Amino acid sequence: MHEVYKLSPLLKHTSVQIECITSYDEYLLLGTRQGSLLMYNVVKTTLNDDKPEIQLMRFNKTFSKKPIQQLDVIAEYNVLISLTDNIIQVHDINSSNFATTFTLDKTRGATLFTLDVNRQVTMTGKEVSIYRMCVYVKKKLQFYVWAKKEFLQLEEDVAINDAPKAIALCQNTVCVGNKNEYSCYQLKDKWNDLFPTSSNQSNEPFVIKASDTTFALVRDKQTFLVNDKGGAEKSKILKWSGTPHALVWDEPYCIALIGDTAEVHAIEAEEVIQTIPDLGKVRFVSRAQQGIIYAASIGQVWLFRAIDIPIQRNALLENKQFELALKLTNVSDETDIEKDKIIYDIQTRLAYELFNKKKYHQSMKEFLKLGTNVHHVIRLFPDLLPPQGDEPKVEITSHLAGKELEEGLTALIEYLTQMRFKYALEAQKNINTTANMNNVQIIDTTLLKCYLQTNDALVAPLLRSNNCHLAEAERTLKKYKKNNELIILYQTKGQHRRALELLKTEDNVERSITYLQHLGNKDMGLILEYADWVLNKTPEEGLKIFTEDLGEVEALPRPRVLDYLLKSHIDLAIPYLEHVINIWKDTNPLFHNSLIHKYREKVLIDEPGVEVTKKKLIEFLENSEHYKPETVLIHFPTNALLEERALILGKLGKHEEALAIYVRALGDIEKAINYCNKTYNQEDKVYVMLIKLLLNPEGFNINLPGVTLSPKTAQTDLEAALKLLEDNASCINPLDVLDVLPENIPVSRIYKFLQIAMQQSLKDRRRVQLLKGLLYAEHLQCQEMRLHLESQSVLITDMNICPACKKRFGKQSALIRYPNGDVVHYSCQDRKY
């Protein structure tokens, strides 16, 4: 692979045996089996130095009477933590002899501890470090937090069955490895068993913190990453040549000690990156800072110094290890501007490399994160965009065809869909509006081509709200013979004539009707033009173009539609007018008059079904209140349609003429009586008119040229007149009818009429008297109320104040008194108070 670290021997000890090490910044601390503690300063750590300079800063030979088991440092507070003689002590790292600050007495009997730092940003933006410590003491785990220059107990002790061989703390989770298995415990929660520590009982467990949320656990020849919730990340496994007995994490690398060798690995690498041999019986490893690692045996210390990141990065890029190059760049000390530029370049190369490796979905995700120009991404696929000269100079070795092409297009669709949403959102916020809309047009056109090759069921939904390039989309749809979708394209682009012409060519009546129904008033000329062939082919269905229950159809100019039908499709005029009047309830006299004329014309032609039309005409003349009778009448013949004429005359208030037609021309007294019954509420003398006509049929001159009067009603019909009088006695004024009755008629013949008329008169009189009494009673109540109100008085003095304006009442003030007794100025009566 490539060289990550350069190894430098640092020092040898023959007088003491190293038992533990820890490091931070440029400092190294060694704890010995003899109980002494040494602190070194590594002055020079540049790669140009074959052997860095090391200085002994402090040496406490009697730090402990027993071997120092474990060391750690909180550099921020100059605190050294030691485990010696099975108890935790805290020391001042700056004092000459590492003076003990305090002892955690509760930890007596401890065999292992682990320290964790978690950095958080407060609401004020300040970064703070929270240090937690977990200690194993006599089958219990103790938890502490550093606060106020001491370790305070974090929670109650947690019992544990087996003594741990390895332990690590990550935020609120501790991970423990004993001789049989790994397990983790979340504070104030429960234990979660993970997996066995090893298939070989001789292998020791080992666990470290790999990141703020991740543990690294050794199992045989593998290292697994487990999150702080206890979930193993199966895709993140490091494989070694042997079983590590120590690990250290130096992002993005993991260094494992295996026998007398150190191996360097990374999650992003498929195999070990670097092997560093000949380390003797190396036992301990510690990370001081990024790129600075110390390893030690009982008597010797080595320094691992990372090769400069730019050199490593170049090697990685040559080997196309882009993910590792990205992680390495993230931890470099380069400026943010330099990092952003480098990272963008690496991610771009990574995206293209993933594409070449046929990892299309991963590639598209990278392009999406980069915000790469959509043109460059689309051009990776054949025949989606015409070639242009500004393509990036990237070698593409992946040739798409068959299933690979389909998989690639599917990934491209996901990418384009998200980019479409991004551009549309920016356009709504008026950000790069023109450029973004152009990008959306390119995206939609490309999506159209992708859908046609992968899932053409998605084409129509795309086109219904599309921004496709018209000419290119049209060419593509024609290529795939997608006429239905082509019509949708024309419709959404406002190319209605082209859509309608295509529908006409296909002889698609049903869809043509639907299309025309949705055009609306602005395209009225186009509607009339293309409705013609539809109405010729299927008149009844075609009429729905003008009668469907749609807002666009109802809003069409009805007079223009009627004029068109009268000129080109006259047989459809009546059903159209009936729909306009009966369904849409249009009261325009134009339509009512026109319907009467069309009925009249059809009745006069005397075609089959004339009786139905005649019935419709009569009912319409009777019921419609919106036609113009004086206009309609002049078009009716004098020698035909006499009943219809009578109805029109009735609308004009010419009731005598109407009755004369019923009696003299038609000879139908029953119809005349029915006419009276229907018009009595409009004209109360209509019965008297009919009686007069029956008694004196020759007394009315009927002017209907060409009409032969009925002989049945040529003579006076006293019996019919008297029967009409008797049947409708309550509706006839006695004084009016007595004037037209013969003087010689016996009273006995009209006795019943007079009796009913007298009863009606008495009834009317009683009703009037009752009404008069009620009105008088109401008058008395009003008078009583007036007297009561006038008897009340309100005393107003100069001291009274208007509750509305808070001013005193003057002598000349006009006042208003409310029912609740409040008095205000007349001008204040509308104010709220």
Side-chain angles (χ1 to χ4, degrees):
M1 296 290 283
H2 75 283
E3 188 178 19
V4 180
Y5 296 99
K6 184 176 180 180
L7 180 67
S8 299
L10 200 60
L11 57 85
K12 286 186 178 181
H13 276 288
T14 56
S15 59
V16 295
Q17 294 176 309
I18 300 172
E19 189 69 19
C20 62
I21 69 172
T22 191
S23 59
Y24 70 98
D25 298 336
E26 66 272 18
Y27 301 105
L28 171 67
L29 290 96
L30 304 179
T32 70
R33 188 170 296 176
Q34 291 76 18
S36 58
L37 179 63
L38 300 90
M39 182 175 182
Y40 293 92
N41 180 19
V42 182
V43 190
K44 296 179 181 179
T45 59
T46 62
L47 288 173
N48 295 325
D49 297 318
D50 292 334
K51 186 176 181 181
E53 183 179 344
I54 184 168
Q55 297 177 349
L56 179 63
M57 293 182 63
R58 296 186 189 87
F59 174 48
N60 187 342
K61 187 175 182 180
T62 60
F63 182 80
S64 172
K65 295 180 180 180
K66 293 188 176 182
I68 301 174
Q69 298 164 268
Q70 196 175 343
L71 294 170
D72 213 331
V73 173
I74 302 178
E76 184 178 354
Y77 298 105
N78 300 312
V79 168
L80 171 66
I81 305 165
S82 70
L83 172 59
T84 181
D85 198 14
N86 298 108
I87 192 168
I88 298 289
Q89 291 182 313
V90 178
H91 313 269
D92 181 0
I93 203 167
N94 287 333
S95 67
S96 58
N97 60 349
F98 307 104
T100 302
T101 305
F102 61 87
T103 300
L104 285 174
D105 293 328
K106 189 179 177 183
T107 64
R108 192 172 301 280
T111 57
L112 197 63
F113 79 90
T114 182
L115 189 68
D116 172 54
V117 57
N118 178 27
R119 290 178 174 82
Q120 298 178 352
V121 178
T122 65
M123 294 181 64
T124 60
K126 181 181 178 182
E127 185 177 86
V128 296
S129 300
I130 299 175
Y131 292 89
R132 295 184 178 90
M133 183 171 66
C134 178
V135 186
Y136 174 68
V137 183
K138 298 177 181 178
K139 294 188 178 182
K140 287 185 179 181
L141 293 178
Q142 298 177 359
F143 295 93
Y144 298 91
V145 61
W146 179 262
K148 299 179 181 179
K149 299 182 179 182
E150 63 177 327
F151 278 111
L152 303 177
Q153 187 169 350
L154 186 60
E155 73 159 24
E156 296 296 324
D157 296 352
V158 176
I160 182 173
N161 295 327
D162 296 325
K165 301 284 185 177
I167 187 172
L169 185 63
C170 185
Q171 296 196 38
N172 292 322
T173 304
V174 61
C175 186
V176 173
N178 56 41
K179 65 179 181 179
N180 293 317
E181 66 178 353
Y182 288 106
S183 57
C184 66
Y185 171 75
Q186 290 180 276
L187 300 191
K188 300 180 181 179
D189 200 343
K190 60 181 179 180
W191 284 98
N192 181 20
D193 294 334
L194 300 178
F195 47 81
T197 54
S198 174
S199 59
N200 187 343
Q201 293 295 323
S202 62
N203 292 336
E204 292 289 331
F206 201 89
V207 56
I208 62 169
K209 175 184 174 182
S211 72
D212 287 341
T213 59
T214 312
F215 298 104
L217 289 73
V218 174
R219 185 175 189 272
D220 297 332
K221 296 181 180 182
Q222 296 179 325
T223 293
F224 295 86
L225 291 187
V226 175
N227 61 39
D228 58 355
K229 301 296 187 294
E233 302 182 34
K234 296 181 180 179
S235 61
K236 297 182 178 180
I237 301 175
L238 301 176
K239 297 181 180 180
W240 311 99
S241 63
T243 302
H245 59 264
L247 284 179
V248 68
W249 205 276
D250 185 32
E251 185 68 20
Y253 301 112
C254 181
I255 299 93
L257 302 183
I258 303 170
D260 62 352
T261 301
E263 292 183 358
V264 181
H265 212 329
I267 294 298
E268 293 73 22
E270 296 180 357
E271 57 187 19
V272 172
I273 298 172
Q274 182 184 9
T275 301
I276 303 173
D278 304 325
L279 293 177
K281 295 182 179 181
V282 64
R283 293 178 55 192
F284 314 108
V285 63
S286 173
R287 176 182 180 272
Q289 56 183 292
Q290 181 68 42
I292 301 295
I293 310 293
Y294 296 99
S297 63
I298 292 177
Q300 188 172 357
V301 179
W302 295 268
L303 169 65
F304 293 82
R305 288 179 297 171
I307 305 296
D308 287 345
I309 285 179
I311 297 174
Q312 287 194 61
R313 185 165 54 222
N314 290 335
L316 288 169
L317 293 178
E318 286 181 9
N319 293 324
K320 298 183 178 181
Q321 296 290 312
F322 301 109
E323 292 96 337
L324 192 51
L326 283 171
K327 279 203 169 182
L328 202 59
T329 303
N330 283 325
V331 299
S332 73
D333 57 2
E334 293 159 314
T335 66
D336 289 342
I337 295 176
E338 290 175 328
K339 281 185 182 181
D340 290 343
K341 184 178 179 180
I342 294 169
I343 288 172
Y344 184 87
D345 178 65
I346 296 173
Q347 284 183 318
T348 301
R349 296 174 68 176
L350 170 62
Y352 284 109
E353 180 61 21
L354 289 170
F355 189 87
N356 283 331
K357 289 182 177 180
K358 306 185 189 304
K359 297 179 180 180
Y360 304 116
H361 289 277
Q362 292 172 257
S363 175
M364 293 301 125
K365 286 180 180 179
E366 292 299 322
F367 284 127
L368 192 65
K369 286 190 290 186
L370 289 166
T372 306
N373 189 314
V374 291
H375 296 73
H376 301 328
V377 179
I378 295 171
R379 288 194 195 109
L380 295 173
F381 296 83
D383 303 324
L384 294 182
L385 279 181
Q388 293 183 11
D390 61 344
E391 294 185 33
K393 303 301 180 182
V394 178
E395 182 183 356
I396 299 299
T397 60
S398 178
H399 300 288
L400 294 172
K403 290 185 177 179
E404 289 180 359
L405 175 60
E406 185 175 349
E407 182 182 351
L409 290 174
T410 302
L412 178 62
I413 287 170
E414 293 177 6
Y415 162 78
L416 291 175
T417 301
Q418 294 187 59
M419 290 299 290
R420 183 182 196 264
F421 176 78
K422 172 180 174 290
Y423 287 136
L425 195 62
E426 288 181 357
Q428 288 179 3
K429 297 178 180 178
N430 294 321
I431 303 173
N432 299 326
T433 306
T434 303
N436 285 335
M437 291 312 295
N438 289 336
N439 284 329
V440 172
Q441 185 182 68
I442 293 167
I443 288 172
D444 278 20
T445 307
T446 306
L447 281 173
L448 171 65
K449 296 177 181 180
C450 293
Y451 289 157
L452 287 168
Q453 296 181 68
T454 57
N455 185 0
D456 58 4
L458 298 174
V459 172
L462 171 69
L463 291 173
R464 288 191 179 96
S465 58
N466 83 93
N467 295 282
C468 293
H469 186 275
L470 175 59
E472 185 65 15
E474 180 184 40
R475 183 189 65 78
T476 304
L477 291 169
K478 285 182 177 179
K479 174 184 174 182
Y480 285 88
K481 298 180 180 180
K482 294 290 185 180
N483 284 353
N484 287 338
E485 289 76 6
L486 185 57
I487 290 167
I488 296 174
L489 173 70
Y490 287 147
Q491 187 172 20
T492 55
K493 293 295 185 182
Q495 300 294 312
H496 302 306
R497 181 176 294 278
R498 296 164 79 175
L500 290 167
E501 195 62 40
L502 181 56
L503 287 170
K504 183 178 179 181
T505 303
E506 293 182 339
D507 200 29
N508 193 330
V509 172
E510 183 177 352
R511 193 165 178 188
S512 293
I513 292 172
T514 303
Y515 196 105
L516 291 167
Q517 286 171 341
H518 288 86
L519 283 182
N521 191 17
K522 66 182 186 305
D523 293 302
M524 190 62 193
L526 208 57
I527 294 173
L528 298 180
E529 179 182 347
Y530 282 91
D532 197 61
W533 77 270
V534 177
L535 292 172
N536 286 332
K537 193 171 185 69
T538 57
E540 186 175 342
E541 285 298 309
L543 186 61
K544 291 180 181 179
I545 296 170
F546 307 109
T547 60
E548 193 62 59
D549 187 18
L550 291 171
E552 296 93 336
V553 175
E554 286 195 45
L556 293 177
R558 297 170 191 175
R560 189 174 177 185
V561 174
L562 177 60
D563 182 64
Y564 164 75
L565 294 175
L566 290 172
K567 289 179 180 178
S568 305
H569 301 278
I570 194 167
D571 290 341
L572 297 176
I574 288 178
Y576 176 71
L577 287 167
E578 288 176 339
H579 185 90
V580 169
I581 294 170
N582 298 330
I583 305 301
W584 289 342
K585 308 300 181 184
D586 199 313
T587 60
N588 189 334
L590 170 66
F591 303 124
H592 289 253
N593 287 2
S594 297
L595 184 56
I596 291 171
H597 290 317
K598 297 311 296 178
Y599 282 153
R600 172 180 55 78
E601 291 173 0
K602 192 169 183 179
V603 171
L604 290 174
I605 294 173
D606 199 17
E607 291 180 343
V610 68
E611 292 302 324
V612 175
T613 306
K614 184 176 179 65
K615 183 179 179 182
K616 286 183 178 180
L617 175 58
I618 291 173
E619 289 178 351
F620 192 74
L621 289 171
E622 282 183 327
N623 299 325
S624 174
E625 299 293 334
H626 304 292
Y627 65 88
K628 301 290 186 181
E630 65 277 7
T631 303
V632 169
L633 184 61
I634 60 178
H635 295 284
F636 273 74
T638 58
N639 61 348
L641 304 180
L642 298 180
E643 184 176 356
E644 290 80 356
R645 173 177 282 274
L647 291 171
I648 298 170
L649 288 170
K651 291 288 185 180
L652 290 170
K654 298 179 179 181
H655 302 295
E656 285 186 336
E657 293 183 39
L659 289 170
I661 290 175
Y662 283 118
V663 176
R664 297 293 292 116
L666 297 175
D668 194 333
I669 297 176
E670 285 300 321
K671 285 188 176 180
I673 294 172
N674 288 336
Y675 178 86
C676 292
N677 293 339
K678 292 176 181 178
T679 58
Y680 168 73
N681 290 331
Q682 303 168 19
E683 176 53 73
D684 58 357
K685 294 184 179 181
V686 68
Y687 288 108
V688 176
M689 294 177 187
L690 180 54
I691 292 172
K692 182 179 179 181
L693 185 59
L694 292 173
L695 295 174
N696 185 18
E698 299 298 331
F700 188 84
N701 183 24
I702 184 168
N703 184 23
L704 294 174
V707 173
T708 302
L709 299 181
S710 173
K712 292 191 302 182
T713 56
Q715 303 299 321
T716 299
D717 191 345
L718 179 62
E719 295 302 322
L722 291 175
K723 186 175 187 309
L724 179 65
L725 181 66
E726 189 173 300
D727 290 344
N728 299 279
S730 61
C731 301
I732 299 174
N733 188 305
L735 297 178
D736 292 338
V737 78
L738 290 176
D739 286 342
V740 301
L741 290 176
E743 294 182 357
N744 58 352
I745 189 169
V747 175
S748 59
R749 297 298 304 274
I750 61 173
Y751 171 76
K752 187 175 181 180
F753 163 72
L754 293 174
Q755 186 180 34
I756 294 173
M758 185 66 71
Q759 290 174 350
Q760 184 65 35
S761 178
L762 291 173
K763 182 179 178 182
D764 291 343
R765 181 179 179 183
R766 284 196 296 272
R767 183 178 61 80
V768 171
Q769 289 176 338
L770 179 60
L771 181 60
K772 180 180 178 181
L774 291 172
L775 290 173
Y776 183 69
E778 185 180 17
H779 170 72
L780 292 178
Q781 289 176 352
C782 291
Q783 292 299 320
E784 184 179 357
M785 185 182 297
R786 180 180 64 81
L787 292 173
H788 171 70
L789 294 173
E790 288 178 348
S791 66
Q792 298 180 18
S793 63
V794 178
L795 179 62
I796 302 296
T797 69
D798 292 341
M799 301 303 294
N800 290 95
I801 296 175
C802 174
C805 66
K806 310 303 180 185
K807 295 180 181 179
R808 297 184 185 278
F809 295 120
K811 293 182 179 180
Q812 304 301 322
S813 298
L815 307 178
I816 289 290
R817 178 180 180 274
Y818 288 105
N820 64 358
D822 288 351
V823 177
V824 300
H825 288 108
Y826 181 82
S827 59
C828 297
Q829 59 180 307
D830 295 327
R831 296 188 186 181
K832 293 182 179 180
Y833 61 93

